[in-house]
Amino acid sequence: MACLLEAPLRISVLSEVTATSRHYVDRLFDPDPQKVLQGVIDMKNAVIGNNKQKANLIVLGAVPRLLYLLQQSSSSLQLRAECAVVLGSLAMGTENNIKSLVDCHIIPTLLQGLLCPDLVFTEACLRCLRTVFISPVTPVQLLYTDPTVIPHLMSLLSNSQRTQEYITQIFSHCCKTPEHQTVLFNHGAIQNIAPLLISSSYKVRMQALKCFSVLAYENTLVSMTLVNVLVDGEQLPQVFVRMMQRDQPVEMQLTAAKCLTYMCRAGAIRTDDGCIVLKTLPCLVRMCSKEHLLEERVEGAETLAYLMEPDVELQRIASTTDHLVAMLADYFKYPSSVSAITDIKRLDHDLKHAHELRQAAFKLYASLGSNDEDIRKKITETENMMDRIVSGLSESSIKVRLAAVRCLHSLSRSVQQLRTSFHDHAVWKPLMKLLQNAPDEVLVMASSTLCNLLLEFSPSKEPILESGVIELLCSLTQSDSPALRVNGIWALMNMAFQADQKVKVEIVRCLGTEQLFRLLSDPDANVLMKTLGLLRNLLSTRPHIDQIMSSHGKQIMQAVTLILEAEHSAEVKEQTLCILANIADGNTAKEPIMTNDDMLQKVKYYMGHSNVKLQLAATFCISNLIWNEEDGSQDRQDKLREMGFVDALHKLTQSTDPNLSDRAKTALQQYLA
């Protein structure tokens, strides 16, 4: 029987809640302004910390009425301010609440409210705007729709500490693109916000600092400007250094370190500057230790990875600071069964976010090991490191998979690691699995790693070949992404290097001549260079050269002609002439060159070119054509003498480049033998 009674009971409770909420909304329409004000104050008290009540009031249409009252100049300033407070409280509920408020045009209404000179009202509007804008569901572009808004917000900065806190917080949350950085910069963000770094209010200092970190990120103009800013007679980098001191709150230390990191990466501070080497880097390493909160350790590791990514000296310094490499191993054991966390809420949060620690550790290891062989060795020798990377490649979180493959890519630059750790742990297997079905971002990194695993000295090359990788790589060359096309063709190029004829034939069959020649006219210069590299590797060793030229000679000669005639870089032309020199090294393959006078004239032209590398490649080609010990060499020598090649070679023997003059002399000796 109890079961039967339960449903009506629920309905009556719900209708009671809705009736109470309805009562609050009805009072907003009372003709007596005093009763309306009291109704708004009561509503404010009712919604504090009560998400259910907030949702009910939104459903019952409280928002449009509150916004209407807030806009009316006939409403008292107290009423308008209380309406802004209630709206701010509603915004502190769920993401759905925020969506409803944004749909009711709360942002333009509140921005309009900022034109009112009353400080209490403008502070209430700004507090509400701050709450709306820090939500991930709010479109930040709404701050930039009206071009008068940013300059007006700048003018309000001096009104009070509250306006300073709210406005800088709005700016730091709404600065998401280079265009946003430019708008804020052009409206004087730096000179308006810099004095706030020495405010007596910690909240204001903190929000101003966050503002500078988002303004400086990957922005050379902003960073260069910041270096020269003075705050109370002190240069800004020094202000940031003070904020990184151990006696400052961790949040401040971290954000100041981010500011200096971004300024350094944007080229405004040298990587060997004391404020980077002696202050920023040690501060970020300190953030990675286990006494810090999970999010601090994540942010510290990711910022450190970004700081030293392009600089081998910083990588070396970091790798020997506070046992960082070993310290990062703890990121994979968190939270441990003996975790010191007694706060259940914190433990629950950390269990849900533990994958972020793994992601950050992989990123930092990738950055640490990107250049130095000794650091890579140190990383791979860290307890169970290779096993951790392998399991990271198949984690459910896409971000962890990407970071793990980044780490693997960084380590795969080491010949020693390719021969040892990579082989022992058969990392090619999970890598191949990852390549089957992944977003482009992961595919780019995974295929880059595969390129290294296919180098001729890598023991993984054979098993990868046997796993049917050629088809996968050929499909990558058809991608819309230039990075994937480059990696696909690069891997095939590495695979074709000193490969068996069977492998080469399979590459040509699977890629197809049509696709191969399409890649030779690819708009991306890297794709073209790697395709020429592939062709050069396919056309090596005589039997292979003759076989490929007998089936595809006509198209290959056409492609070579097109490239030599077109506007291409010297590197592209040199690679093409090297392909021609390889063809000239074949037996029957010499014929298509010797019967093509136009091509021979081109070779002669490049022998007289101003670029030594092009001269050298062209001379190689002629040398291969006239080599004595081969059938028909006399006829070829006679023809080339008639075309003026002997004179050209004589000229080259006088070259100031020793390699070129030696090569020309060697070629001339063929005529004397």
Side-chain angles (χ1 to χ4, degrees), residues 218-252:
E218 292 189 347
N219 193 311
T220 303
L221 176 63
V222 171
S223 296
M224 289 292 193
T225 309
L226 289 176
V227 170
N228 300 310
V229 169
L230 288 177
V231 179
D232 204 22
E234 191 177 20
Q235 285 200 304
L236 201 54
Q238 286 314 305
V239 177
F240 293 151
V241 166
R242 265 196 302 104
M243 291 174 140
M244 283 192 297
Q245 287 170 354
R246 288 169 187 256
D247 59 350
Q248 297 295 339
V250 171
E251 178 190 30
M252 182 168 274

Side-chain angles (χ1 to χ4, degrees), residues 334-347:
Y334 186 86
S336 65
S337 51
V338 290
S339 181
I341 303 175
T342 48
D343 177 349
I344 294 298
K345 243 183 178 176
R346 166 52 66 176
L347 184 61

Side-chain angles (χ1 to χ4, degrees), residues 652-665:
L652 293 179
T653 59
Q654 308 304 311
S655 169
T656 52
D657 183 276
N659 286 339
L660 184 55
S661 64
D662 285 354
R663 175 51 55 189
K665 285 170 190 169

